[in-house]
Amino acid sequence: MVEYHASLSAEASAFLSGEHRLYIDGCWVEPMKEGVLHVQDPAKGSEISRVAEGRAADIDRAVIAARRAFENGPWHAMKPSGRASIMLALADLIDRQAQVLAEIETMETGKPLAFALGSVRSAANMLRYYAGWASNLGGREVPLSSAGEWHAYTRREPVGVVGQVIPWNFPLSMAVWKIAPVLATGCTSVLKPAEQTPLGALRLAALFEEAGVPAGVLNVVPGYGGDAGARLAAHPDVDKIAFTGSAETGRSIVQAALGNLKRVTLELGGKSPVIVLPDADMERAVPGAANAIFFNSGQVCAAGSRLFVHRKVFDNFVADVAVQGAKMKMGHGLDESSRVGPLISARQRARVQSMIEQGLAEGATIVGETAPIPDGKGYFVAPHVLADTNPDMSVIRDEIFGPVVCAIPFGDEDIDAIAKAANHTSYGLAASIWTQNLSAAHRLSNRIRSGNVAVNSHAIADVELPFGGYKESGWGRERGSEVLNHYTETKSVAIRLD
């Protein structure tokens, strides 16, 4: 019998210990072939739940259901106000279930409960935001220059069946990032959560019917990327694939999508710069830089993993960031005092530790003391600040996806030189600039090749701001009104009147 954390609520405990099947066509169904996903508590390294494993044949079933719901069901024909009402009902249900949903996310990801609660609340708010868009997706009248008398206009129509693959670092909010534009535009979808964290998506699926989502509109099929995910990306009856995850997997999805030239949006990795000018407000910049990399144990695609600090303030600033990291108590996410949780798996911990060791072997040094690792079998890595790095080191080039930041001094206040150093990466997802000089902030923001730039903060997660990257950080945008372009087709209609 599994022993859960003493703080876990009875409702969350009952859910974890229950039976978890696939959600297809409005029903909980067994997979076509027997298989199990073993879900772990990363803070203890022990199994907390078992989930039925979906495979390619189950993806096929889900796509058939989604196609039928799109072509013949009530969803496509439903008035925008009807779709909006369902989205608002789902948002209200998420709010009412917020504590349980957050506990589930903490148990399967290891993150502190307060962070998980924030993620759940943001998911509900995202549904409310896109509910407002459901009635605002019209086209426009177009005055033509062609001879004759015409009435011409455009229509925005749903793209169709969407395959959606989400990561393990923010499983519930990432699911809603994908689901909300599907509901707003009148599409249907098959969602494949990460094999490490399927529980939050399944708990969310339990709310679909209660909210009024018709059968087949939203389907959830947990499984492995190499089987279920690969079939979803290559499926000939899927019109669009939306993926969040690693650049390596993103490339595989692009190749798989070539069969029917389905639309592809990718939100991939990052190696985001945090740039601290000498006039920055240090009382805000130090904790801001620490939070940019240590939040969620660095398992954030937009994490500020390259810290550029002017030489005038470098030594004190970097030492202070290291102190911030050392003071962050590591522990189980359900312990109220925990600020840093574990990494998602033993494999990820080994990868991060290997990259730290490689950096040290190449000449990097650890700044200050690191926090003690909790006793037990959890997958913890202490926050690290590395100095004495150079651009050829793997810790500078590659995404670590752990609580490790590389501090890099600069002495030139030339804006172009600073931007060139920040842009020296294959990624371009996020960046932050810490300064009280408005001119420098604007000029740097214009020069940094990144999809998201924040000044005196890092990676603002507001639903109205589009999120996505340049270069190898992906294609397309999530959030904001921009994401809706990826879920709709534009049709031109021209009617000759004379």
Side-chain angles (χ1 to χ4, degrees):
M1 180 177 177
V2 177
E3 290 187 10
Y4 298 118
H5 192 279
S7 299
L8 190 69
S9 68
E11 188 173 355
S13 178
F15 174 79
L16 294 179
S17 61
E19 183 179 16
H20 304 294
R21 292 175 289 177
L22 317 179
Y23 186 77
I24 298 176
D25 206 14
C27 299
W28 297 101
V29 299
E30 297 289 348
M32 298 287 286
K33 185 178 180 180
E34 185 177 354
V36 174
L37 302 176
H38 299 270
V39 184
Q40 288 192 330
D41 175 358
K44 293 184 176 180
S46 58
E47 182 177 296
I48 55 170
S49 191
R50 296 185 178 185
V51 172
E53 177 196 349
R55 291 188 171 90
D58 302 300
I59 292 292
D60 290 345
R61 284 197 292 168
V63 171
I64 289 171
R67 176 59 64 186
R68 183 169 56 243
F70 180 73
E71 301 287 356
N72 304 316
W75 190 246
H76 190 185
M78 187 179 292
K79 298 295 184 183
S81 58
R83 294 200 302 273
S85 295
I86 289 173
M87 295 174 72
L88 294 173
L90 182 57
D92 289 344
L93 288 170
I94 290 174
D95 270 342
R96 288 201 288 272
Q97 287 278 304
Q99 180 67 25
V100 172
L101 288 165
E103 289 181 8
I104 292 168
E105 179 148 320
T106 289
M107 289 296 293
E108 64 179 346
T109 67
K111 65 167 57 91
L113 181 62
F115 299 165
L117 272 169
S119 182
V120 172
R121 298 295 187 195
S122 71
N125 289 336
M126 180 159 287
L127 281 164
R128 295 188 178 101
Y129 172 78
Y130 285 106
W133 273 105
S135 299
N136 289 279
L137 290 171
R140 62 188 180 91
E141 186 177 354
V142 182
L144 300 186
S145 299
S146 302
E149 187 176 359
W150 297 85
H151 174 55
Y153 59 93
T154 62
R155 289 171 49 87
R156 293 180 72 179
E157 300 179 350
V159 72
V161 176
V162 182
Q164 302 177 303
V165 181
I166 60 172
W168 44 257
N169 55 344
F170 296 96
L172 186 80
S173 61
M174 290 292 101
V176 174
W177 276 32
K178 299 289 192 285
I179 287 170
V182 160
L183 297 177
T185 57
C187 295
T188 59
S189 82
V190 177
L191 180 79
K192 192 205 83 66
E195 60 267 22
Q196 299 92 338
T197 56
L199 296 167
L202 292 173
R203 182 69 175 189
L204 180 65
L207 305 179
F208 293 162
E209 185 175 1
E210 188 175 351
V213 178
V217 170
L218 300 176
N219 305 271
V220 179
V221 182
Y224 289 100
D227 189 330
R231 178 55 178 166
L232 189 58
H235 201 291
D237 208 22
V238 170
D239 302 299
K240 168 187 161 49
I241 191 81
F243 170 75
T244 298
S246 71
E248 180 183 3
T249 303
R251 292 186 183 93
S252 299
I253 284 176
V254 170
Q255 291 296 319
L258 290 176
N260 67 337
L261 295 178
K262 60 172 60 67
R263 285 195 186 187
V264 178
T265 53
L266 305 170
E267 198 270 281
L268 306 176
K271 195 69 180 175
S272 301
V274 175
I275 303 169
V276 182
L277 299 183
D279 70 323
D281 179 349
M282 300 303 166
E283 290 187 2
R284 296 175 64 184
V286 168
N291 190 60
I293 184 60
F294 302 141
F295 172 71
N296 204 41
S297 301
Q299 299 172 123
V300 182
C301 53
S305 54
R306 292 182 300 144
L307 178 58
F308 294 88
V309 185
H310 196 280
R311 289 191 187 278
K312 291 179 182 178
V313 295
F314 181 85
D315 289 341
N316 289 338
F317 189 93
V318 172
D320 288 345
V321 171
V323 169
Q324 291 267 327
K327 290 194 303 184
M328 293 179 177
K329 183 178 181 298
M330 289 181 286
H332 198 287
L334 292 181
D335 294 336
E336 290 185 3
S337 60
S338 295
R339 291 280 310 283
V340 177
L343 300 186
I344 189 65
S345 65
R347 179 181 179 183
Q348 181 65 10
R349 179 184 61 184
R351 179 182 180 276
V352 172
Q353 289 175 331
S354 175
M355 293 191 73
I356 294 171
E357 290 166 4
Q358 184 174 349
L360 297 177
E362 293 172 349
T365 57
I366 298 174
V367 179
E369 302 292 330
T370 56
I373 299 294
D375 294 334
K377 298 180 180 180
Y379 309 130
F380 292 92
V381 171
H384 279 67
V385 178
L386 301 183
D388 300 315
T389 58
N390 65 67
D392 295 326
M393 291 182 176
S394 58
V395 289
I396 291 287
R397 295 193 317 268
D398 301 332
E399 185 177 37
I400 300 174
F401 225 61
V404 183
V405 63
C406 295
I408 306 159
F410 65 89
D412 194 342
E413 293 189 41
D414 178 80
I415 294 297
D416 290 326
I418 298 169
K420 183 178 180 180
N423 291 335
H424 188 65
T425 173
S426 60
Y427 297 106
L429 185 56
S432 61
I433 302 162
W434 298 82
T435 181
Q436 299 181 74
N437 184 324
L438 187 60
S439 175
H442 278 296
R443 293 170 65 205
L444 260 177
S445 296
N446 292 342
R447 287 162 173 76
I448 291 175
R449 291 188 52 75
S450 172
N452 305 267
V453 179
V455 177
N456 296 326
S457 186
H458 188 83
I460 306 304
D462 192 288
V463 62
E464 298 194 39
L465 276 175
F467 182 80
Y470 290 20
K471 300 183 281 187
E472 293 183 25
S473 286
W475 294 351
R477 293 295 180 267
E478 303 274 3
R479 299 192 325 225
S481 60
E482 282 78 359
V483 69
L484 299 169
N485 295 326
H486 303 306
Y487 288 82
T488 54
E489 298 278 13
T490 299
K491 177 184 288 183
S492 298
V493 180
I495 303 171
R496 184 148 191 168
L497 302 179
D498 56 359

